[in-house]
Amino acid sequence: MGGAADEVRYGEWIAVRRHGTHVAELVLDRPRAMNAVSTELARRLTQACDALAADPSARVVVLTSSHERAFCVGADLKERNSFTDAELLRQRPVNRAAYTGVLELPMPTIAAVHGFALGGGFEIALSCDLIVADATAVVGLPEVSVGVIPGGGGTQLLPRRVGAARAAELIFTGRRVAAAEALSLGLVDQLADAGRDREEALALATRIAANSPVGLRAAKRALRLGHGLDLRAGLEVEDGAWRAVAFSGDRAEGVAAFNEKRTPDWPGE
């Protein structure tokens, strides 16, 4: 984990640490509350995502937790219990901006999940492109058990991962899913030994970050924008992304490096 010189804090509960030049670690750091998403944490998560989105040197972002037994347990229900209806309504855009901030990061994102990732915590993970979980992970969207629905993207992101019927079963029952079943259902993408989710996610991020930053961001746009479209429309999205990279400095460098049998020095433009 990076030292203090490598860390930028966003309030008390969010940190960004750099690993080398191109991998950023976005840390949920509210251990006393198992990273429960309060209004303040949501605001700071949005700020951190805004800063990362504007940083061209960040090629991959890894979301991690400082808590030993949880990634994030979801909404801060103690705070919610104190809200009037008017206060809850005012808080909604703040919370929504936090989940959207993660979802709309332009570079590849990886969630490193151990322990509990429930409700909004699992929605943060679902907002990432890839989820690496360790053997202790327990995921789920239990919102209907407290009289609400997944409101951080869960009803839309989960069926895109596992299909409509499976998502319906998981959301309607609100059941918790342990790591091995989560992998078999496609709720997570890679399973690590206990305690190694962060290490493996960072290693994966390092491999990804060796590739063209222009290519990575364009590929992510094509994947996100093309999903759910009919094939013809999806291929048009892909063509637009291809045109955005075909005449870039990264494309020229990539071809030159291949022919010269050397490692590319990506200009990132």
Side-chain angles (χ1 to χ4, degrees):
M1 195 171 285
D6 303 316
E7 179 178 280
V8 177
R9 303 290 305 191
Y10 295 85
E12 183 180 358
W13 296 326
I14 298 293
V16 173
R17 298 170 180 147
R18 298 305 285 254
H19 297 265
T21 305
H22 301 303
V23 175
E25 181 183 5
L26 177 53
V27 187
L28 304 177
D29 189 23
R30 193 190 179 196
R32 291 184 181 179
M34 290 188 169
N35 296 323
V37 182
S38 65
T39 304
E40 174 64 10
L41 188 146
R43 285 197 180 101
R44 298 303 188 174
L45 180 56
T46 301
Q47 289 177 357
C49 287
D50 287 346
L52 286 168
D55 182 355
S57 71
R59 296 183 187 174
V60 186
V61 173
V62 180
L63 271 79
T64 68
S65 162
S66 65
H67 195 284
E68 293 182 356
R69 294 186 293 108
F71 175 74
C72 172
V73 294
D76 187 336
L77 295 182
K78 290 183 179 179
E79 181 188 65
R80 292 281 181 90
N81 192 49
S82 71
F83 285 167
T84 65
D85 287 353
E87 288 170 337
L88 181 61
L89 189 61
R90 284 196 297 270
Q91 195 236 18
R92 172 62 177 163
V94 177
N95 253 31
R96 189 174 179 187
Y99 297 109
T100 301
V102 176
L103 184 65
E104 294 187 351
L105 282 168
M107 68 289 287
T109 52
I110 305 167
V113 173
H114 58 264
F116 298 112
L118 301 173
F122 189 37
E123 289 174 305
I124 290 173
L126 288 171
S127 296
C128 295
D129 299 298
L130 297 168
I131 302 174
V132 176
D134 83 349
T136 71
V138 178
V139 304
L141 296 175
E143 284 87 346
V144 295
S145 69
V146 293
V148 291
I149 70 165
T155 66
Q156 304 306 303
L157 295 170
L158 189 58
R160 284 167 166 77
R161 268 190 165 265
V162 300
R166 178 63 69 190
E169 182 263 321
L170 293 167
I171 291 171
F172 293 165
T173 63
R175 70 182 178 93
R176 299 179 178 190
V177 182
E181 184 185 4
L183 180 66
S184 71
L185 295 179
L187 297 172
V188 304
D189 304 299
Q190 184 174 317
L191 196 59
D193 292 337
R196 290 179 53 87
D197 55 293
R198 176 178 173 272
E199 181 180 346
E200 293 205 12
L202 287 169
L204 176 59
T206 299
R207 293 199 299 274
I208 293 171
N211 295 310
S212 158
V214 171
L216 289 172
R217 292 185 180 217
K220 177 166 179 170
R221 286 197 306 274
L223 284 163
R224 287 286 179 89
L225 295 176
H227 187 91
L229 300 178
D230 65 65
L231 179 58
R232 186 180 296 274
L235 290 173
E236 288 302 314
V237 169
E238 182 182 81
D239 186 66
W242 178 86
R243 291 174 185 276
V245 301
F247 308 103
S248 68
D250 273 16
R251 195 276 309 171
E253 169 62 12
V255 172
F258 177 84
N259 286 315
E260 294 165 18
K261 299 182 180 180
R262 59 175 174 81
T263 301
D265 181 15
W266 303 114
E269 57 185 20

